[in-house]
Amino acid sequence: MHDEHNGQNPALTELRERLKGGMARMRLNQTDLATRAGLGRTTVSEALSPTKPAPSSETVAALARALQLPVEQLRELQRSAVEDIGGGVRSGPGRPIGEWDPHDLEVHPAGPGVASSGPGRPQARTLPEYVRREHDRGLSGVVEDAAVGRSGAVVLVGGSSTGKTRACWEAVQPLAAQGWRLWHPFDPTRPDPTRAQDALEDLPRVAPRTVVWLNEAQHYLGDRVAGERIAAAVHRLLVTVERGPVLVLGTLWPEYAARYTALPSPGESDPYSRVWELLAGRVLNVPESFDAPALAAAAALAESGDGLLEDALSRAGAEGRVTQDLAGAPELINRYRHATPAAAAVLEAAMDARRLGVGLHLPQAFLTDAAADCLTDTDYDQLTDDWAEQAFAELAALVHGKQAPLRRTTPRPRRRPGAPAPSSAAHSAAPLTAGPVFRLADYLEQHGRTSRTHLCPPASFWHAAHTHLTDPGDLGNLTDAAESRHRLQWAHCLRQRAADHGNPDALTGWP
């Protein structure tokens, strides 16, 4: 094997000498050449550097055209140089698949982290067992083709936290055993605006047997400056036989896919024509929720000991939004732990209400008043006049899976046989308590039942319940909770209020 860095690759040495001769003849520096060739400054520098790998065929062609040199002659030198380096296997961006952590590829963590074994060390993150669904079969077919030498591409389209990135990660595992590399263009040390340009510069360097990882592909394909060129470069990579096999995997939200594939208005140019061509026939849709077979498979894994899936299934229920629950759980806990004091107090009031028997729909006025004594004296003194509005706005911000710690909700109308249909103008039956009502995220409710099980709510909680709650069942449950916690005066007041609002059992056992 020749050592190109020590000048023992004659073809590569000649190629670089001819490029440098062309620069001297035209009196160009590397920056000028990069501009004329439409390449990045780094790409040109590495193409001419004796310590860097051989440039790609596309880079050589662009440089040759810019320097008015014979394109095919220089491309032949490039091919000879590549063949002389490691038996025709040239280096390129990325690293072996087995060296990647899935979370570094933007697979969402699931569930709380496992405590680290030493101070200052990050928490270990685990993933639940994987449940294969319909889109996984289509994805596996493309991966199998790549494994036997046929380049391919798939873009998974689905909503937030529906399992797109995890599906891609599971799909490439068979390629890891074959020594494939994976290149993720995103560099966390560089600002987002450079992401597309970096990808464009390095795409010509992608070597065979490489997975190109375009997670959140809108950062590349939707870039106003480089998006169309990236789509063209990816297409060229897929159809150039000597550069394969390669596998391109991407993910998109539905709104981006719709934008890129929409027909332009008559007389208007199509800003995504190359992107549309790339996506055509290469899109797989990922459903929002698990269907019945997927839920059954997940339940079987939960029964065999997967605690993360078991917890998620207990909350997702018949809706089947298992992946959203798994992805959102860590972020919901982080939002609670890092909330402002006022927002944390509102959440704790909501957790206490749910664990002590109040229904799903929590009145805003109740939560606001109940939170007061959850604050320290210092935090309470620093409250502003609009603290409640700020706290509820903070808790309404969405995390992964379109979940919010505390979201405003609309109770569904109650329908009974023989009763008139609810008025469409009213949208729903009026709640018993005036004003907005909110619902606590299921995961935070579960967290509150365990983390606050031995805590007794403060006086502001009981006062707010007596003042604002009107549901007779809720009031009856809180009466029992107050008695069991020896809050007998509050129990007496809540019992009377429950009776006043129609709870027939409230006065049973009245002293």
Side-chain angles (χ1 to χ4, degrees):
M1 176 175 173
H2 293 285
D3 185 354
E4 61 180 293
H5 302 335
N6 292 330
Q8 295 178 13
N9 186 320
L12 185 55
T13 299
E14 181 180 352
L15 171 64
R16 285 176 168 144
E17 289 299 325
R18 293 186 66 172
L19 291 173
K20 291 177 181 177
M23 290 177 61
R25 175 174 52 83
M26 298 185 70
R27 298 182 180 180
L28 299 176
N29 57 32
Q30 292 186 8
T31 301
D32 296 333
L33 178 56
T35 301
R36 289 174 65 98
L39 299 171
R41 175 68 168 73
T42 300
T43 301
V44 173
S45 175
E46 291 183 353
L48 299 171
S49 172
T51 64
K52 296 294 183 180
S56 70
S57 176
E58 287 75 11
T59 297
V60 169
L63 293 174
R65 285 190 289 268
L67 296 172
Q68 300 178 8
L69 296 172
V71 175
E72 287 307 315
Q73 289 183 18
L74 267 63
R75 293 183 73 167
E76 181 59 33
L77 284 173
Q78 187 270 346
R79 284 192 287 268
S80 298
V82 168
E83 292 172 358
D84 205 25
I85 300 171
V89 179
R90 62 187 176 91
S91 61
R95 61 178 189 264
I97 293 173
E99 295 181 6
W100 283 96
D101 182 316
H103 300 104
D104 293 336
L105 296 173
E106 300 172 287
V107 175
H108 294 315
V114 179
S116 59
S117 57
R121 296 179 60 180
Q123 291 183 326
R125 295 175 292 184
T126 59
L127 291 174
E129 291 292 329
Y130 188 65
V131 179
R132 289 176 60 85
R133 294 183 278 168
E134 184 63 33
H135 59 274
D136 292 294
R137 283 186 275 274
L139 185 55
S140 294
V142 179
V143 173
E144 290 168 3
D145 286 345
V148 297
R150 293 188 291 271
S151 295
V154 175
V155 177
L156 296 184
V157 175
S160 172
S161 303
T162 49
K164 303 182 298 296
T165 312
R166 176 73 187 277
C168 292
W169 170 249
E170 296 296 330
V172 301
Q173 295 313 299
L175 300 179
Q178 299 183 18
W180 278 57
R181 300 165 66 84
L182 187 149
W183 172 50
H184 183 22
F186 173 60
D187 181 353
T189 66
R190 303 285 297 277
D192 272 354
T194 69
R195 182 187 295 201
Q197 188 61 42
D198 289 347
L200 183 62
E201 291 184 5
D202 281 342
L203 271 169
R205 297 179 50 234
V206 171
R209 295 162 60 84
T210 297
V211 177
V212 178
W213 191 267
L214 300 182
N215 193 52
E216 302 283 359
Q218 70 272 9
H219 293 302
Y220 310 100
L221 303 179
D223 186 87
R224 293 180 178 274
V225 176
E228 285 286 86
R229 294 170 63 193
I230 289 175
V234 171
H235 185 266
R236 188 161 54 246
L237 173 65
L238 292 170
V239 300
T240 306
V241 177
E242 59 267 25
R243 298 192 61 192
V246 294
L247 176 64
V248 180
L249 296 180
T251 66
L252 280 174
W253 286 3
E255 51 264 41
Y256 291 113
R259 181 187 306 172
Y260 301 153
T261 57
L263 293 175
S265 301
E268 293 185 359
S269 61
D270 186 355
Y272 301 112
S273 60
R274 293 291 183 89
V275 177
W276 183 89
E277 292 173 359
L278 178 64
L279 294 180
R282 296 189 173 102
V283 168
L284 282 176
N285 292 312
V286 178
E288 288 283 326
S289 58
F290 280 23
D291 58 12
L295 284 173
L301 291 171
E303 290 176 3
S304 65
D306 192 309
L308 289 174
L309 275 177
E310 183 179 13
D311 286 346
L313 287 170
S314 70
R315 293 182 295 269
E319 288 189 357
R321 295 172 61 85
V322 179
T323 56
Q324 292 91 334
D325 184 277
L326 288 167
E331 290 301 319
L332 288 169
I333 289 295
N334 286 336
R335 189 69 67 81
Y336 169 47
R337 290 174 177 168
H338 300 106
T340 59
V346 170
L347 277 182
E348 288 167 1
M351 291 178 189
D352 289 343
R354 288 294 292 136
R355 70 186 175 92
L356 298 185
V358 181
L360 289 174
H361 304 120
L362 306 172
Q364 183 178 31
F366 159 71
L367 293 174
T368 302
D369 286 355
D373 289 351
C374 296
L375 294 162
T376 65
D377 289 343
T378 300
D379 291 333
Y380 187 84
D381 290 342
Q382 293 177 352
L383 293 179
T384 59
D385 291 342
D386 61 347
W387 73 268
E389 290 82 356
Q390 293 183 20
F392 282 95
E394 176 184 339
L395 297 175
L398 298 179
V399 302
H400 296 310
K402 299 181 180 178
Q403 300 182 74
L406 190 71
R407 62 181 173 87
R408 185 167 178 173
T409 185
T410 302
R412 293 181 184 271
R414 297 177 180 177
R415 295 176 173 87
R416 297 183 178 88
S423 169
S424 59
H427 183 66
S428 67
L432 294 175
T433 301
V437 293
F438 288 78
R439 178 167 177 173
L440 179 67
D442 291 343
Y443 189 80
L444 289 179
E445 177 185 330
Q446 187 179 63
H447 176 74
R449 291 182 187 277
T450 56
S451 65
R452 299 180 63 79
T453 186
H454 299 299
L455 299 178
C456 181
S460 63
F461 176 89
W462 306 109
H463 183 271
H466 181 264
T467 304
H468 299 289
L469 298 185
T470 57
D471 183 89
D474 293 350
L475 291 166
N477 291 334
L478 289 181
T479 298
D480 295 339
E483 283 186 338
S484 66
R485 288 160 178 78
H486 303 286
R487 300 303 190 263
L488 301 182
Q489 289 182 328
W490 284 119
H492 175 82
C493 294
L494 290 167
R495 180 181 288 109
Q496 183 63 59
R497 185 168 175 83
D500 291 343
H501 284 84
N503 188 332
D505 300 321
L507 301 182
T508 302
W510 186 275

